[in-house]
Amino acid sequence: MKYLVKFMFIVLLSTSSYSQAYSKAGSFDYYVLALSWQSAFCEYRRGKPACRSQKKSDFSAYNFVLHGLWPNKKGRNGHRYGYCNVSKSIKWKDKKRRWCKMPSLNLSNSVRTDLNKFMPGTMSCLQRHEWYKHGSCSGLSENKYYEVSNRLVDLFSKTSFNKLVANNAGNYIRRSKLLRAFDQEFGKGSRAYLGLKCKRVRGKKLLTEIRIRLQKDLSKIDNFKDVLPTRRFKTMRGNCPSRFKIDAL
């Protein structure tokens, strides 16, 4: 029995050490940029403040919006890399989805204004959840992390890919068409960095989110092509069928 207890103690100790090492800020391989299609999100989250107030004049009506910018490790799924130097009390509030009870972020007025535009979820304090779970591991300050995030969303809104999706709002589209368009705009094989996420809502498969793998170094963000990986990673996973709908407001 004493040997079993000793073994369990060693396992717990090594697991704790691994967890601390695994969640060291800046020790990641790439980012994943998660962008939501707000109209589809609001089809199954109608009670959210941002969904109750969404208007056709909003940026979110015709552009992808920020879900999060996630540092991640090569070969890992589920975004287990997170909560770097975050207290247990904050993690507890986050896991209980008490986001507005978490400490506010130190953001400049300009970054906060842009974030309210590019991330409608700020009405539900999504920015706090994303910072403490993911941004804390970026090695950036709170303000710089969201300055970079805002810049990425703004740049992506100007892409032909974003316009293609917006122009097809209310219509069905083929997965192959979107993947081909991504390749054409960002280079052959770029589709490997794109994951298309769909959800069945009232019997229809809707595009709810896209996830794009980005390189770790985001110091230069003049063109969205600049932030795609310069080396090969595992192909991004998606769950969209061969044909699905782009929801319209």
Side-chain angles (χ1 to χ4, degrees), residues 161 163-181 196 198 205-207 240-247:
F161 185 91
K163 291 180 175 64
L164 173 63
V165 174
N167 290 338
N168 280 278
N171 301 323
Y172 279 85
I173 196 168
R174 291 197 172 276
R175 182 184 63 226
S176 58
K177 183 174 183 177
L178 289 186
L179 295 176
R180 190 163 56 250
L196 303 173
C198 288
K205 277 285 188 175
L206 303 180
L207 177 68
C240 288
S242 60
R243 185 172 176 270
F244 47 86
K245 188 176 183 180
I246 308 297
D247 198 47

Side-chain angles (χ1 to χ4, degrees), residues 57-114:
S57 58
D58 291 344
F59 176 86
S60 63
Y62 302 101
N63 297 281
F64 284 97
V65 295
L66 182 64
H67 175 176
L69 180 62
W70 306 331
N72 210 353
K73 284 183 175 288
K74 186 177 180 181
R76 298 286 178 180
N77 293 309
H79 310 291
R80 290 190 297 148
Y81 176 69
Y83 297 113
C84 295
N85 300 314
V86 173
S87 69
K88 290 183 179 179
S89 62
I90 293 178
K91 285 175 67 175
W92 181 85
K93 289 176 183 175
D94 187 54
K95 291 180 183 295
K96 294 292 183 179
R97 301 180 72 84
R98 297 180 181 178
W99 299 340
C100 291
K101 297 293 185 181
M102 297 161 71
S104 59
L105 305 183
N106 184 21
L107 304 179
S108 68
N109 289 335
S110 60
V111 167
R112 192 179 300 277
T113 298
D114 287 344

Side-chain angles (χ1 to χ4, degrees), residues 113-161:
T113 298
D114 287 344
L115 190 59
N116 289 337
K117 171 184 176 180
F118 296 134
M119 179 188 258
T122 54
M123 293 185 186
S124 302
C125 300
L126 175 63
Q127 77 279 19
R128 300 186 191 185
H129 158 72
E130 290 296 324
W131 164 256
Y132 288 109
K133 184 174 182 181
H134 302 290
S136 61
C137 294
S138 66
L140 304 174
S141 68
E142 299 166 15
N143 197 71
K144 186 62 177 179
Y145 173 74
Y146 276 117
E147 181 183 319
V148 169
S149 298
N150 288 338
R151 177 65 174 155
L152 289 170
V153 179
D154 186 39
L155 275 179
F156 194 77
S157 71
K158 296 176 172 60
T159 64
S160 297
F161 185 91

Side-chain angles (χ1 to χ4, degrees), residues 10 22-23 32 36 43 45 48-49 63 65 71 87 104 120 136 139 165 175-176 186 190 206 209 216 221 226 235:
I10 293 174
Y22 191 79
S23 293
V32 171
S36 299
E43 286 290 343
R45 287 286 189 267
K48 291 286 186 180
N63 297 281
V65 295
S87 69
S104 59
S136 61
V165 174
R175 182 184 63 226
S176 58
F186 301 112
S190 296
L206 303 180
E209 183 168 285
K216 182 177 180 178
I221 315 177
D226 297 337
T235 299

Side-chain angles (χ1 to χ4, degrees), residues 205-216:
K205 277 285 188 175
L206 303 180
L207 177 68
T208 56
E209 183 168 285
I210 61 173
R211 295 178 183 177
I212 308 171
R213 182 176 283 124
L214 307 179
Q215 60 181 286
K216 182 177 180 178

Side-chain angles (χ1 to χ4, degrees), residues 1-16:
M1 182 66 179
K2 65 178 181 180
Y3 294 109
L4 178 61
V5 173
K6 184 178 180 180
F7 173 75
M8 292 302 294
F9 175 76
I10 293 174
V11 170
L12 288 172
L13 184 62
S14 62
T15 301
S16 176

